[in-house]
Amino acid sequence: MNLLSPTISKLVRLRYSRIEEWMNNPVTAQREILQDLVTHGQHTDFGRKYNMKNLFTVKAFKEAIPIHEYDDIKPWICKLMNGEQNQLWDSPVNWFAKSSGTTSDKSKFIPVTEESLEDCHYQAGKDVLTLYYQINPESYLLTGKGLVIGGSHQVSQLNEDIFFGDLSAVLMQNMPAWGQWIRTPELAIALLDEWETKIESLAQSTIYENVTSISGVPTWTQVLIKRILEVTGRQNIKEVWPNLELYMHGGVSFTPYKENFKKLLGDGIHYMEMYNASEGFFAAQDNIDEEGMLLFLNHGIFYEFMPVEEYGKPNPETVGLNKVELRKQYAIIISTNGGLWRYLVGDTIQFTTLFPFRIKVTGRLKHFMNAFGEEVIVENTDAAIAAASKKTGALVNDYTAAPIYFSEENNGAHEWLIEFEKEPANMEQFVYELDSSLKNLNSDYEAKRHKNIALRMPVVHCLKRGVFNLWLKQKGKLGGQHKVPRLSNNRNFIEELYALLQTVY
């Protein structure tokens, strides 16, 4: 197979001219995408409501159609899931990607059309390979298998024609022959729903494969690699798969994981970040030595960028590529060939370069914890605190929470600092109820907590009354609209509070 590597490399890199075309003409590429989207959308119920047949400019498009969050577009999605076609897109919608909950739902369901599969997700997958081979023309990547570590939901059926699963399950189920040929494990294992069984099956079935790349969220990838090393008795994964050369990651910040992955994988591994969501495949690194991912501009997605300070305003301003600024915080607004129209994804980004346009993900519009792909938001934790308090007779004044990252000894966890007005009679029961409520409220948290594979039980500490106010006072933020940050994706606030406790108590 290695004799084929130069030929494979040349064929893959021939596609780079297509990427260069939209890289060099980004604004034109985006206008053509919008024109194509509106051509499809005008024949739908949504398009007729907003008179899409008469929207000939970006300005008219933005003036006619409001920005949507999930709850705004949910009624259209419900009709689609009930089999009423032609709601948001003019070709059949038979698949939905299930992802983590919004402010009102445990889970949300994103339409997946044939166009979004072929022209967005799969085209982006081919472009990722092209970008990698452009950087590494001597690569042997496609002479082996790509280990794909998917999600935790099997494909489910709503009715005879409508199916849903998490994005990785939907992509694998519909993957063309070329994709099946270059990936491992077999589909039956990839779609297993029970994660303890799945990790064991993945480990046992891939040990003897010629794995040249791994792709997956760091949380689950780390769990699998540790199990493979246990089974084989090896020190790092390079000893198991000597031809491994690439780890493709995304979904959560890789920063806390990077050093541990260097130990787990071994030397000579390239790392490549991707920005792939249920709503679309947005970006990937084209220079693995520099920060920032190349924004994909010809994949059936029209982008707008809303300055974060505009969020919550009645008519928030958005800008196009020709007006974005470096290092400014934007929320992404997308219109897609999956039938999403001016949809607020919820992620915040910054541009790291202009022409070509590269971005990095900086967080979410709202407070959150997403260190392990759990996407816990403040509404989840507020509701869980209330439920646990009610069941244990506790009263909570305030709280903050942050992740405890993986170590060599333990899996991850959420660490809570809680100031009680009235402590629960049984703290263990409080922690149990808190954890159970979060599982009920958030399907991604529930998946990560399953059998403690990725997340163990929350670690909860009681603070003396007045600690939070003292902390705010020291920061000059006591009173007014200042408040304790409920959630963070880093440990800055918790470490500051620990330092305060050591000096005062």
Side-chain angles (χ1 to χ4, degrees):
M1 282 292 289
N2 287 354
L3 294 174
L4 293 176
S5 187
T7 302
I8 293 172
S9 176
K10 184 176 180 180
L11 289 173
V12 172
R13 287 186 293 130
L14 281 174
R15 295 189 77 258
Y16 192 69
S17 60
R18 303 182 190 179
I19 296 174
E20 283 185 311
E21 187 174 342
W22 53 258
M23 284 176 62
N24 294 332
N25 301 281
V27 176
T28 300
Q30 279 285 278
R31 285 175 179 164
E32 290 176 354
I33 289 292
L34 181 60
Q35 182 179 2
D36 183 66
L37 294 177
V38 171
T39 299
H40 283 276
Q42 65 182 319
H43 303 298
T44 66
D45 284 1
F46 185 94
R48 283 185 281 272
K49 176 179 178 179
Y50 291 107
N51 196 27
M52 275 195 191
K53 66 179 182 180
N54 291 321
L55 304 182
F56 302 114
T57 65
V58 174
K59 183 174 183 290
F61 177 77
K62 291 166 63 172
E63 288 176 348
I65 300 175
I67 291 172
H68 293 84
E69 296 191 52
Y70 183 75
D71 283 350
D72 302 318
I73 208 164
K74 183 181 173 183
W76 308 90
I77 292 174
C78 288
K79 289 181 180 181
L80 283 170
M81 296 183 76
N82 287 329
E84 299 180 45
Q85 294 291 351
N86 215 43
Q87 297 298 309
L88 296 166
W89 194 250
D90 65 348
S91 66
V93 180
N94 301 116
W95 287 89
F96 293 85
K98 180 183 178 183
S99 64
S100 64
T102 62
T103 54
S104 60
D105 288 321
K106 182 177 179 179
S107 296
K108 58 183 179 181
F109 296 85
I110 302 300
V112 180
T113 65
E114 183 177 347
E115 290 86 350
S116 63
L117 282 172
E118 294 295 333
D119 300 333
C120 183
H121 290 287
Y122 295 146
Q123 178 174 303
K126 287 182 278 190
D127 284 351
V128 168
L129 292 175
T130 300
L131 292 173
Y132 182 74
Y133 267 92
Q134 184 67 19
I135 303 166
N136 301 281
E138 304 302 319
S139 168
Y140 290 97
L141 191 71
L142 290 180
T143 63
K145 297 283 188 177
L147 172 57
V148 180
I149 305 167
S152 57
H153 299 287
Q154 285 183 309
V155 171
S156 301
Q157 194 165 358
L158 281 176
N159 55 50
E160 185 178 350
D161 300 313
I162 306 296
F163 304 85
F164 70 88
D166 75 354
L167 177 65
S168 58
V170 174
L171 294 179
M172 288 180 189
Q173 192 70 49
N174 291 278
M175 189 172 288
W178 65 265
Q180 298 290 359
W181 176 65
I182 64 173
R183 58 165 295 280
T184 191
E186 62 182 75
L187 198 60
I189 295 174
L191 296 179
L192 283 174
D193 193 47
E194 208 287 316
W195 263 95
E196 192 171 62
T197 302
K198 182 171 184 173
I199 290 293
E200 189 64 25
S201 297
L202 281 167
Q204 298 293 344
S205 67
T206 59
I207 288 173
Y208 302 107
E209 293 272 18
N210 178 27
V211 173
T212 54
S213 70
I214 303 173
S215 60
V217 175
T219 312
W220 295 119
T221 304
Q222 191 166 243
V223 171
L224 174 61
I225 290 172
K226 286 182 177 180
R227 179 56 187 151
I228 289 174
L229 296 180
E230 288 175 1
V231 171
T232 60
R234 304 292 187 177
Q235 294 299 308
N236 61 62
I237 210 69
K238 190 79 170 177
E239 295 179 4
V240 180
W241 298 317
N243 295 322
L244 181 70
E245 59 177 273
L246 174 64
Y247 173 47
M248 294 175 280
H249 58 88
V252 296
S253 171
F254 191 58
T255 302
Y257 299 94
K258 193 167 185 177
E259 291 305 313
N260 199 31
F261 264 83
K262 287 181 180 179
K263 296 178 183 177
L264 291 172
L265 298 186
D267 296 330
I269 306 296
H270 299 296
Y271 296 88
M272 191 173 185
E273 185 177 8
M274 301 183 296
Y275 183 15
N276 189 15
S278 298
E279 296 86 354
F281 202 134
F282 304 134
Q285 276 182 288
D286 65 324
N287 186 335
I288 58 178
D289 296 320
E290 292 186 9
E291 179 185 54
M293 294 174 283
L294 182 68
L295 189 64
F296 290 162
L297 302 176
N298 192 39
H299 296 65
I301 300 173
F302 178 74
Y303 297 96
E304 302 172 54
F305 304 95
M306 179 180 73
V308 292
E309 60 269 19
E310 293 288 313
Y311 182 62
K313 293 183 179 180
N315 296 296
E317 175 194 359
T318 67
V319 297
L321 290 174
N322 56 337
K323 292 186 178 179
V324 295
E325 302 173 24
L326 287 174
R327 303 297 173 180
K328 185 177 177 66
Q329 293 276 1
Y330 294 102
I332 297 181
I333 311 292
I334 58 172
S335 298
T336 78
N337 53 9
L340 300 177
W341 298 100
R342 302 202 76 207
Y343 182 82
L344 180 67
V345 177
D347 294 327
T348 58
I349 61 101
Q350 290 180 348
F351 283 89
T352 60
T353 67
L354 306 179
F355 298 99
F357 292 93
R358 296 187 180 95
I359 62 170
K360 68 173 182 177
V361 180
T362 56
R364 298 283 291 178
L365 277 172
K366 303 173 183 178
H367 288 298
F368 67 103
M369 284 190 290
N370 191 32
F372 311 97
E374 67 276 36
E375 295 191 12
V376 172
I377 61 175
V378 172
E379 186 176 67
N380 297 156
T381 55
D382 282 348
I385 284 282
S389 297
K390 183 176 181 180
K391 291 184 177 181
T392 61
L395 294 174
V396 173
N397 281 335
D398 219 336
Y399 72 89
T400 191
I404 301 174
Y405 286 102
F406 275 83
S407 66
E408 293 184 2
E409 295 77 26
N410 288 309
N411 289 352
H414 287 167
E415 184 170 18
W416 296 67
L417 301 185
I418 303 177
E419 185 177 312
F420 289 94
E421 179 67 24
K422 177 186 177 184
E423 292 188 12
N426 187 322
M427 180 57 70
E428 288 185 2
Q429 183 190 359
F430 181 91
V431 176
Y432 171 82
E433 298 294 349
L434 178 69
D435 182 59
S436 297
S437 295
L438 281 174
K439 290 178 183 176
N440 291 332
L441 291 162
N442 185 302
S443 59
D444 280 344
Y445 177 85
E446 182 181 38
K448 302 303 180 292
R449 278 283 295 117
H450 182 66
K451 295 191 176 181
N452 297 316
I453 293 176
L455 276 174
R456 52 193 164 96
M457 283 288 287
V459 177
V460 177
H461 304 287
C462 299
L463 296 184
K464 293 183 179 180
R465 276 185 283 178
V467 170
F468 280 125
N469 281 347
L470 181 59
W471 177 72
L472 289 170
K473 185 177 180 179
Q474 284 194 348
K475 297 179 73 68
K477 294 183 177 181
L478 186 62
Q481 297 182 351
H482 298 298
K483 58 186 70 173
V484 174
R486 287 281 194 250
L487 306 178
S488 177
N489 217 31
N490 59 56
R491 294 183 53 79
N492 294 349
F493 301 127
I494 279 184
E495 297 299 340
E496 287 180 13
L497 283 161
Y498 279 141
L500 173 63
L501 290 171
Q502 291 176 359
T503 58
V504 176
Y505 298 99

